[in-house]
Each structure stands twice: as C-alpha cells, then as structure tokens.
Amino acid sequence: MTFLSEHARAFLTAKPFAHRGLHDGTGLCPENSLIAAARAVEAGFPIELDVRLSRDGEVVVFHDATLLRMTGADGAVADKTWADLSALRLLGGSHGIPRLADVLSLVAGRVPLLVEVKQDGRPGALEKQTASLLQGYRGDVAVQSFNPLTVGFFARHAPGLPRGQLADLNGGGVVGRLLSRYFLNGFSCPQFVAVRVSALPHDKTAALRTRGLPVLGWTVRSEEARKACAPYTDNIIFEGFVPT
C-alpha cells in the first residue's frame, strides 16, 4: 500500500469539498460550471468535479453519461465533439460545459481540486488525457473513480497524483468484500476512499482509517448530516448548504 504524503493528506482533509462546485442547482449557477467553480474559489472551498471524454478527445467537466438532464439535448457526451458540447447551455441558463483545462486555468491553484474520472469501461484516452493535464497543473489536485481499473491506471502511470476509490457500501456484502479484497492491493491501490454517507458507520471504512487511509463522505446535504458522519470520516463532499 502506498500512503499519501503529508501534504496531500492535509489538503484532502482540511476543508469540505464543494460537490460539482458551489452551485445552486439552477441555470444561474449550475453544477460543474465555471461559475460554480468561481464561487467555490471565492468562498474558499475546495472543488469536486467530474470529467468525461468527448468524441474528439477533449476532457470535459460533466457528470452524466447523457446530456438530457443538464442540457435538454439528446445523446451521450461520448458521441459529441467539443464543438457540439460547447454550443449547449446548462439548465437553460447562459453557462456552458467547460473543459477540464478551462477549470484548471480559472482555479489556478487557489483551492484544491478533486477530479472524479467517469469511466465505465477499461482505462484509455480519458485517463491518459486527464493525467497529462493534471501532471502539468500547479496546484493541489487528486483523482478518484468508482472504477478500480481507473484508480489502478493512475497508480501505475501517474503515481504522483493522489488517488482515491469511490465506493457505495449500500451495495451490500459483495461490495464490501470487493473493497477489502481488491481495492487495497495492486489491483487498485487507492490512497484514500470516498463513500456514500448513508452507509456509515461501516466496519470496512473503520478498518481503512485504522490502516491509515483517509475516508471522505459524500454527498452531505445539511449541517446535521455533516455532524452525524463526522466521527466516521476525515472530510466531506457537500452540496445544498454551506458548511459552517
């Protein structure tokens, strides 16, 4: 197991991460937009965001595999070119889909970033392009993914980037067994774990913390929920309120 540096542990646990930026769920400040990132920076909160790959190889900041919920357009992100995607608007407002490069330029190291790599298959161009962008970035940044193959890719090809395994432990016993059997060896080799807070407390995450891996809880939507999960996590990813 490769542990986090003290610097990486510090920036991953110091302040709560704004889930998809400090957005308000409307077209005025939609999730994963540049305005949501700017507002997080202004408030001093680190930013969690999602990345996917366009058809022509641009790393874009977008959560869903399909465009309908956020843009009203049909089709998948992976089937559209950057020109197609850049013409769309989020939740009927004036803000568009940014590229990861655009967010990196805007944030410019002022707050830490946590980049979720949305990969449903085997690692490939998305991971390579993301690693290339982040390894040249002057600022605190970490990557995470639900896909253990993707986490393993970063362990092998970009070991200098802090990497985390996302897990939904509400999935039951099989998921818990996978977490302990695979995620902590060479197959995935994460340096932190991010779990759904509704599954806490959980014996697996308690064991991980004992072994020295920080546990982040997602997604926390109230101060009460934050206080409830505080004994079982080292930090949170939040939305819908501003932590005090």
Side-chain angles (χ1 to χ4, degrees), residues 106-158:
L106 176 109
V107 175
R110 289 179 290 170
V111 297
L113 296 172
L114 180 54
V115 178
E116 180 180 343
V117 181
K118 306 295 286 187
Q119 174 64 270
D120 298 324
R122 297 189 66 83
L126 173 59
E127 287 81 0
K128 292 176 183 177
Q129 290 286 88
T130 300
S132 178
L133 287 165
L134 297 184
Q135 286 177 312
Y137 177 62
R138 289 188 160 184
D140 292 329
V141 62
V143 294
Q144 62 177 2
S145 182
F146 279 102
N147 188 336
L149 294 174
T150 290
V151 182
F153 174 94
F154 284 99
R156 293 187 300 276
H157 299 287

Side-chain angles (χ1 to χ4, degrees), residues 4 9 29 69 85 95-96 115 127 137 140 152 174 180 192 212:
L4 287 168
R9 178 181 289 271
C29 187
R69 178 179 69 91
L85 296 172
H95 302 285
V115 178
E127 287 81 0
Y137 177 62
D140 292 329
V174 173
S180 59
F192 64 94

Side-chain angles (χ1 to χ4, degrees), residues 30-99:
E31 66 182 56
N32 280 328
S33 64
L34 289 179
I35 185 65
R39 289 187 178 181
V41 170
E42 183 179 0
F45 285 111
I47 300 163
E48 184 270 353
L49 56 86
D50 309 282
V51 294
R52 293 185 175 275
L53 200 67
S54 70
R55 193 178 76 193
D56 53 349
E58 288 284 351
V59 181
V60 297
V61 180
F62 200 80
H63 177 270
D64 298 0
T66 59
L67 293 161
L68 184 62
R69 178 179 69 91
M70 288 301 298
T71 71
D74 293 326
V77 174
D79 294 333
K80 305 294 185 182
T81 66
W82 168 238
D84 297 329
L85 296 172
S86 63
L88 300 174
R89 290 296 171 263
L90 299 168
L91 297 179
S94 61
H95 302 285
I97 299 171
R99 296 170 299 181

Side-chain angles (χ1 to χ4, degrees), residues 160-181:
L161 287 173
R163 58 191 179 272
Q165 179 67 56
L166 280 154
D168 186 349
L169 297 179
N170 288 332
V174 173
V175 175
R177 286 195 295 274
L178 286 172
L179 181 62
S180 59
R181 182 177 178 183

